[in-house]
Amino acid sequence: MYSEKILQVLTQFKQNKITTEEALEALRKLPYEDLGFAKIDYHREIRKGFPEVIFCGGKTPQQVKEIAFNMYKNGSDVLGTRASHEHFEAVRELLEKAVYYETARIISIRNTPPRKTKGIIGVVAAGTSDLAVAEEAAVTAELMGNTVKRFYDVGVAGLHRLLDKIEEIRECRVIIAIAGMEGALPTVLGGLVGSPIIAVPTSVGYGANFHGLSALLAMLNSCASGVSVVNIDNGFGAAYSASLINKIGEEGK
Amino acid sequence: MYSEKILQVLTQFKQNKITTEEALEALRKLPYEDLGFAKIDYHREIRKGFPEVIFCGGKTPQQVKEIAFNMYKNGSDVLGTRASHEHFEAVRELLEKAVYYETARIISIRNTPPRKTKGIIGVVAAGTSDLAVAEEAAVTAELMGNTVKRFYDVGVAGLHRLLDKIEEIRECRVIIAIAGMEGALPTVLGGLVGSPIIAVPTSVGYGANFHGLSALLAMLNSCASGVSVVNIDNGFGAAYSASLINKIGEEGK
Amino acid sequence: MYSEKILQVLTQFKQNKITTEEALEALRKLPYEDLGFAKIDYHREIRKGFPEVIFCGGKTPQQVKEIAFNMYKNGSDVLGTRASHEHFEAVRELLEKAVYYETARIISIRNTPPRKTKGIIGVVAAGTSDLAVAEEAAVTAELMGNTVKRFYDVGVAGLHRLLDKIEEIRECRVIIAIAGMEGALPTVLGGLVGSPIIAVPTSVGYGANFHGLSALLAMLNSCASGVSVVNIDNGFGAAYSASLINKIGEEGK
Amino acid sequence: MYSEKILQVLTQFKQNKITTEEALEALRKLPYEDLGFAKIDYHREIRKGFPEVIFCGGKTPQQVKEIAFNMYKNGSDVLGTRASHEHFEAVRELLEKAVYYETARIISIRNTPPRKTKGIIGVVAAGTSDLAVAEEAAVTAELMGNTVKRFYDVGVAGLHRLLDKIEEIRECRVIIAIAGMEGALPTVLGGLVGSPIIAVPTSVGYGANFHGLSALLAMLNSCASGVSVVNIDNGFGAAYSASLINKIGEEGK
Amino acid sequence: MYSEKILQVLTQFKQNKITTEEALEALRKLPYEDLGFAKIDYHREIRKGFPEVIFCGGKTPQQVKEIAFNMYKNGSDVLGTRASHEHFEAVRELLEKAVYYETARIISIRNTPPRKTKGIIGVVAAGTSDLAVAEEAAVTAELMGNTVKRFYDVGVAGLHRLLDKIEEIRECRVIIAIAGMEGALPTVLGGLVGSPIIAVPTSVGYGANFHGLSALLAMLNSCASGVSVVNIDNGFGAAYSASLINKIGEEGK
Amino acid sequence: MYSEKILQVLTQFKQNKITTEEALEALRKLPYEDLGFAKIDYHREIRKGFPEVIFCGGKTPQQVKEIAFNMYKNGSDVLGTRASHEHFEAVRELLEKAVYYETARIISIRNTPPRKTKGIIGVVAAGTSDLAVAEEAAVTAELMGNTVKRFYDVGVAGLHRLLDKIEEIRECRVIIAIAGMEGALPTVLGGLVGSPIIAVPTSVGYGANFHGLSALLAMLNSCASGVSVVNIDNGFGAAYSASLINKIGEEGK
Amino acid sequence: MYSEKILQVLTQFKQNKITTEEALEALRKLPYEDLGFAKIDYHREIRKGFPEVIFCGGKTPQQVKEIAFNMYKNGSDVLGTRASHEHFEAVRELLEKAVYYETARIISIRNTPPRKTKGIIGVVAAGTSDLAVAEEAAVTAELMGNTVKRFYDVGVAGLHRLLDKIEEIRECRVIIAIAGMEGALPTVLGGLVGSPIIAVPTSVGYGANFHGLSALLAMLNSCASGVSVVNIDNGFGAAYSASLINKIGEEGK
Amino acid sequence: MYSEKILQVLTQFKQNKITTEEALEALRKLPYEDLGFAKIDYHREIRKGFPEVIFCGGKTPQQVKEIAFNMYKNGSDVLGTRASHEHFEAVRELLEKAVYYETARIISIRNTPPRKTKGIIGVVAAGTSDLAVAEEAAVTAELMGNTVKRFYDVGVAGLHRLLDKIEEIRECRVIIAIAGMEGALPTVLGGLVGSPIIAVPTSVGYGANFHGLSALLAMLNSCASGVSVVNIDNGFGAAYSASLINKIGEEGK
């Protein structure tokens, strides 16, 4: 496709349809267009269901408002993570259809109709205090077009609750496993299911939890296979990875 | 499927084909058989291309020999990781068809004919010193039935080498990205490709590398999306996760 | 009892059975004898079933031989932990009845007949590579007079194996739970049983295991209640604590 | 007991008292009922004196109010840890008999009459600044039905204060030893008493205390035997473990 | 120059222009004057374009006001880093020409006319959230008389944006590379340009970022050559080092 | 002295001046009185110039007020460290002669006339931001009766300022060296002076300073001899150690 | 220059000097040739005095021999770091003019005549035990064409030795400052000289040195300006950065 | 004394006893001679009882032999720490009177007759495995002319052994307290004695001991006053500090 584009420029040039300067300019930009092409590819993928993402964390409400507005005007779906009420209020001034997912701390504004995959992403969370991270993962995955099933409060200290749900969980194509404290959930799941598991350590806990380090190390050292890990509290990252995987099954890619 | 098994026992029992004791025993074991069933499922999956795995690390050559022999006799494919020459010599005494992948430190003995997926797992490694981990990942993935492409020595400090290969890498369904030192490779890849990336930090480096900690933290904190991480030097774990993901595309699961 | 001893000295002094100097000396030593008395108490407890303990770790075979010989001569049972073959060979030169527990790395020489508690200490270990620590715990507990049941290779990644044994484990009065890597075993057990659990992290693993740190942090942060933790690889310490607890049930203390 | 339940289902089925579907359903649920049985066992134990526990830490007053109310309605005793005044005010709106232990930060609402064990749990705390953790342990243990004795401000830097109390401490069946800073208390106690010790490091201190790390490491590395450790500031966890141990002596279990 | 000063004192003394006491005093101070001379040298360098620096961080507005006023009165340029609005308001009361760079948190008051080097210092920043540190570096470098070019938001996850600018970046004599999270930017730059790179890790990120540790370790372990590192968030320090280097090219020193 | 006390009891008993019960009681308490005696010794030392110390850090103003009042009533000097204005206001309500050292955050109330040693404790501080810790050390040492000389802002980055003062510093009998950041001051001093040095790392700095860890490690690893270290920001502890050492020279002990 | 190359291809194509396929091929490769051009630029720079570098650390003597031989055949200078005697023996078999710098652990084989800069790189080392790292830096810098002056054993604990050399050190254009233990040298130097300083922490020390962490943190937190830091023991990296800086002065770049 | 030297030069110069050049040279060197003077002072102090010290750790036997020989020839006492048998054998070849302290790993060769202080340095060690560090401290202190008393195996887990010796320990002018594992000894001592304590953490232990970190942190966080700390296993450093302190009492300095 890239070669075709070069050929086309060469042909236009030989046929004097474009000047030397125009050919030069077109070709000079090509390498970057090639990489820009990746960008376009990326955009196409996004139009196929993946919203652009604004990490609202360190940004002012005004900054988020402006970015969201420009993205929306350009026809893109908008997804803002780590968004506070203030961020949302600012965005809603310009964009009335903005939706705020409070627990997930996510702002969403859609230009495109929502879709749903056949394959399911299972979001499995150990405790009620992991809810914010779990919802960040679940809502992100949904806004990226995935069918999501939530399995909350199924921590390994009450194993029967987890086992009660295990057949439903087994039917998920990808699993996001979220836990703080000792972070045992992905390991136990890894021994019971055959789907790939994205583990998210949370900073829930105190003392020698060291802000999520205990769960992070436990997940990296899982004795079960098929478990990979994202950053502490990074529900969004887990959903993004899970969505890429789920898409593989969808598209038979 | 589990219900069918219960039905079958009930039917046999009602038809007096099995005694009360036999029914009792069969049903008593069911819950565990159910979980054991998961194990059988797992075995079936393994027979569908996933070799059993022996972590030879802390085991004596004699121990590895015995485990490998029993597995092979039971018709299972055998995969031994972190295997030394001594482990291999011991295994070959009983099993002549055993193969040793030296760089990958893997022993393989096949009962089943090798298969190859249509989807490709790309194993991308930053430096020549990451080779042992990269080969552990690549050989594991191959022995699990995947088509694997290797892209070695494409570290980000020589970006042109990576960019030269980027279109080939983009065609992979899943990518395993392996790097030590500053661990930047998965992040750069994450910005260039649309496939899920399993990142493997290696302990390659010295000084403030702290046995792989620098690469591990860098990968967990990647500013690119679609990257999840396994333990330091864990090429096997990355291949296992990648294989589960690749299978999704294969089976349209 | 301490008061009695003071009374006795006072009486002997008043009856001129001892001189002023002797009374002075006897009383001057009393405070320390009192604390020394604690030592004697401690010895009495040991004679009631608790062997003396030599940490052979940093000692030469000659040193261990001498200490063991003196202890044995004084009628004490001898328990040497972290003992190598060399330690054992040296000890056996003088003490033929010395026994060596190879996996547990323990030397034992008994002066007193072995006893067994009614209450059981369950030693539950996650993987085969945790065996050395598990045996250190089990053999120590046995030599201290406890009835011990071993439950090995019941890691949480193969949950059915653990659940198969769970009713037997529930019958134990105290449980020692041993695991490396992600250290999830005590947490899962803590949700299934009502006995106190002493958790032992092991240094089994590699990479971000950091010599047992991952399991240690996971166990300290366990979301299950009733779990307390000893140092990494400290099978002896877990057995000692478990034995103190088991004795409570035995003696109705 | 589990086998009996299967037998009963089989019998009812053979006698056509239940349909195939009903038998199927009953048997399908059994494994989980078995585990649910564990839950019932657990509940029974709780009814025997162990209150349910709400970790109020990350929860809103409203959430705590609702959980407490539901638990109380179901006849359970209610124990809320890490509770603020706001949590308590919310709970008291619905449940007038709620009691707030300010220093311990605990909310308690009883359905059952309080009981007291014969065996004593000794709560020994090094300094006045460890008081909050010590009271969390002491009040938790009391609410779980144990007789508790407090020994406060007996840090090892003023050894005479500790030795003055040592005979009283020796009479305790289990000891909870609480200290921040250098965490030496459990080690000194471990040399003086024969009861099992649960050590609680506190985050009291500054500088290279690193939020309790100094005391935690000191306790894990105690040169005295019979000491096991819970998480930093985890007074509740220590009390729970101590209570399980104390119950052993009580019930001659 | 130092020798000349000694000679001069000796001559004055021999000519009786100064008394023995005066010579003694002058010579006694010389060693320190020599080191003070270094200070004077240093001051001269500063007058040649390097502003004095006040780290406002731990200081009160009143303290900063006084120091700034004294420096300004003595003809020195004033540069205050980590300055809040309050610091600036206090300074402006006395010194109306004071300028506040809000994003950079820098106060500047000039006595000398601004100059510009021929050589360029390139300030390259990965993300918009690294802006404060980047501006601290850029403004500091400018106030020290350097020509500065800013290249912002060129993180490695969007490689095309960086490559678009790479030829301009290559023309810089020194490069300051600023990144948080995985800190990959200096490594990628180090493979593409031939100028010395001063890397600044930022504390931008969350979870296992550990306040900048991930970026710091990544930069110290860079697989690219020509990269040296300053403290986390230390934009000023990077600019100071870069300015010393840039001056070398300027002065042909 | 302890023996005398026993002799005295024995004599009184033999002369029937005290009953058997009284003798028993007196002797029973002796061991603890002996250790209590240490306390009395300690108190005596305190009366010889060492004020009692209240760590106000975690205490309420009311608690500090009460402790201070009781101590003062008993004739003791009162020294309160880490005291806020609120602490001071509370104390002053009851004790008008209370003095507050603002920078040092110390409250002092004297019952005894101030004394001064001949030997000097030198308090040497690297930067102006180490002032609070330096003053805590200096004021503590003064209140304990020592003659103190302050050498502030003599950090090693401006070596001439330190060398200007070095002869005065050499005349100090003990030196307290205080520095944050890279903590180089005690090492440079250790090469220049022959007095023992107590080094105090401060938490001054940012980024990879990690709350004083950088200075702490640097001081522990000093290549100069004669340097020992106290906890981060522990000006009081350094002054206490220095005071014990200074007293040795004073008393020719 | 890149545009010229495109123009040249276009012209040749329009003049039918190259076929459409050839033009297509030439242009298709351009983006990578452009980046490959960077590589060529890099090579040119190398030919201008910078030797290629082989990190021998993890490589076999045979591997090093082959790489060195190929490089030498291609006319490149060869520089091998972290080379053992075995590496050198292997290389010398094929390349007799290979030179081994024992202390520096460097192999060098020159194709080009050695050159020397006018500007001096000063290598300043604190202790004799830092010699290996210092020599790696000094020899690397020399082989890259720089004039190097060594100032060894001038640690800050013997300040007079450092001050004796300070004027000579001041004349260096760039300074590499190497120190282990408390790492104070770069800070003291930073206060005395005006040249940029590259600091190298070494792993020399024991105990709380933690393999160079103490010196690394001290250097990153230096209170002196103009100091940037490379990895622990990374003498080569420091020399490479210093050489880039020294070249700026040389070329008036 | 420094002024006198300047005066002397000035006088000689005015009297034409030295030329201008000679005066210039003499005065030019003065600052460094002054600092060198510090060195001479230092040497004088050493001749007054402090042996020179060779850290044999990283040195070859040949290097140690040469340094020792030169020192001895110059009339200095020789003290070599961390010396192996090989170091000693090499030294003894040239210096027959060399003495080797095996446990302390110290070589000593005396030129001056040994002396003994009146004041005692007490070396108190917790366990037999701390012996090497304790002997390094004790032998160093003795070779520096101090009277030393050893109190070994008095760890706090057997408190009576420590209390038995406490009066003897109280009589020491300075105390060196050595402990590994939980490092509680200096804290307990600090509550019982009034002398300054130098605490030495040892790397004795395993698991979460982290090579002495547990004892180091415990000692830095000691709740007892009068304790300062040196590096892990640094018996020499403790002895050096203790010797400086002991000398204060000796000289009434």
Side-chain angles (χ1 to χ4, degrees), chain D residues 124-126 154-156 162 177-179 182-190 197 219, chain H residues 184:
Chain D
V124 187
V154 291
V156 297
L162 179 60
I178 299 161
E182 88 298 318
L185 180 62
T187 296
V188 172
L189 274 176
I197 296 172
M219 289 172 178

Side-chain angles (χ1 to χ4, degrees), chain F residues 2 5 7 9 29 36 38 52 54 61 70 91-92 135 138 143 163 166 174 184 195 201 207 210 215 220 238 250:
Chain F
Y2 172 52
K5 193 146 192 179
L7 256 179
V9 172
K29 280 197 172 158
E52 284 268 17
I54 311 165
N70 282 323
V91 169
R92 200 165 48 177
E135 278 298 300
L143 292 173
L163 293 180
I166 201 64
V174 200
S195 312
F210 297 125
L220 286 168
E250 216 64 13

Side-chain angles (χ1 to χ4, degrees), chain A:
Chain A
M1 191 159 175
Y2 171 53
S3 299
E4 289 171 33
K5 191 143 195 180
I6 296 182
L7 256 180
Q8 180 184 4
V9 172
L10 287 176
T11 309
Q12 289 178 320
F13 173 65
K14 206 155 196 176
Q15 297 170 348
N16 291 318
K17 288 189 178 159
I18 56 174
T19 65
T20 305
E21 284 68 32
E22 284 166 352
L24 183 62
E25 179 64 14
L27 288 165
R28 195 183 60 77
K29 282 199 171 157
L30 260 180
Y32 307 109
E33 277 185 37
D34 184 27
L35 288 161
F37 198 68
K39 207 185 168 188
I40 294 173
D41 246 20
Y42 179 65
H43 281 165
R44 188 177 312 168
E45 282 172 350
I46 283 167
R47 283 193 308 273
K48 276 152 59 189
F50 285 52
E52 284 269 14
V53 178
I54 312 166
F55 183 84
C56 304
K59 303 201 178 64
T60 64
Q62 184 61 27
Q63 287 175 317
V64 171
K65 176 162 101 179
E66 284 174 32
I67 301 172
F69 187 71
N70 282 324
M71 285 175 63
Y72 183 77
K73 287 275 150 167
N74 289 324
S76 175
D77 291 340
V78 179
L79 173 62
T81 62
R82 305 283 160 111
S84 66
H85 263 286
E86 286 69 31
H87 288 123
F88 176 58
E89 294 306 330
V91 169
R92 199 165 48 176
E93 283 175 27
L94 284 181
L95 299 163
E96 278 192 13
K97 46 188 293 205
V99 178
Y100 186 55
Y101 299 82
E102 184 152 7
T103 312
R105 291 162 301 167
I106 283 177
I107 299 170
S108 164
I109 318 153
R110 298 209 73 109
N111 264 309
T112 66
R115 289 153 317 100
K116 286 289 168 209
T117 54
K118 276 192 298 181
I120 301 163
I121 294 179
V123 177
V124 188
T128 50
S129 33
D130 303 315
L131 219 68
V133 177
E135 277 299 299
E136 183 179 292
V139 171
T140 297
E142 285 175 340
L143 293 173
M144 290 173 95
N146 300 282
T147 304
V148 169
K149 274 202 185 163
R150 288 158 174 86
F151 304 89
Y152 288 176
D153 206 9
V154 291
V156 297
L159 205 55
H160 55 285
R161 293 175 298 180
L162 179 60
L163 293 181
D164 254 350
K165 299 289 182 188
I166 202 64
E167 274 185 65
E168 270 188 85
I169 295 174
R170 268 193 197 125
E171 285 159 13
C172 299
R173 200 187 267 154
V174 200
I175 292 164
I176 297 172
I178 299 161
M181 302 173 92
E182 89 297 316
L185 180 61
T187 296
V188 172
L189 274 176
L192 294 173
V193 307
S195 311
I197 296 172
I198 313 289
V200 192
T202 69
S203 55
V204 168
Y206 59 90
N209 168 281
F210 296 126
H211 307 295
L213 184 64
S214 60
L216 172 63
L217 291 184
M219 290 172 178
L220 287 167
N221 285 284
S222 174
C223 60
S225 295
V227 177
S228 61
V229 186
V230 296
N231 200 358
I232 297 164
D233 289 337
N234 192 3
F236 164 74
Y240 198 100
S241 277
S243 189
L244 290 185
I245 296 170
N246 195 21
K247 204 179 53 174
I248 290 173
E250 216 63 12
E251 304 182 353
K253 183 195 159 175

Side-chain angles (χ1 to χ4, degrees), chain H residues 30-107:
Chain H
L30 262 179
Y32 306 109
E33 277 185 38
D34 182 28
L35 288 161
F37 199 69
K39 203 186 169 189
I40 294 174
D41 245 18
Y42 179 66
H43 280 165
R44 188 176 315 166
E45 281 171 352
I46 283 168
R47 282 192 311 272
K48 275 153 60 190
F50 286 54
E52 285 269 14
V53 179
I54 311 166
F55 185 84
C56 305
K59 301 199 179 65
T60 64
Q62 185 62 28
Q63 288 175 317
V64 171
K65 176 163 102 180
E66 284 173 31
I67 301 172
F69 188 71
N70 282 324
M71 284 174 64
Y72 183 77
K73 287 275 153 168
N74 289 323
S76 175
D77 291 338
V78 179
L79 174 62
T81 62
R82 304 285 159 108
S84 66
H85 263 286
E86 287 68 32
H87 288 122
F88 176 58
E89 294 306 330
V91 168
R92 199 164 49 176
E93 283 173 28
L94 284 181
L95 299 162
E96 279 192 13
K97 43 188 294 204
V99 179
Y100 186 55
Y101 299 81
E102 183 152 8
T103 312
R105 292 162 300 168
I106 282 178
I107 298 170

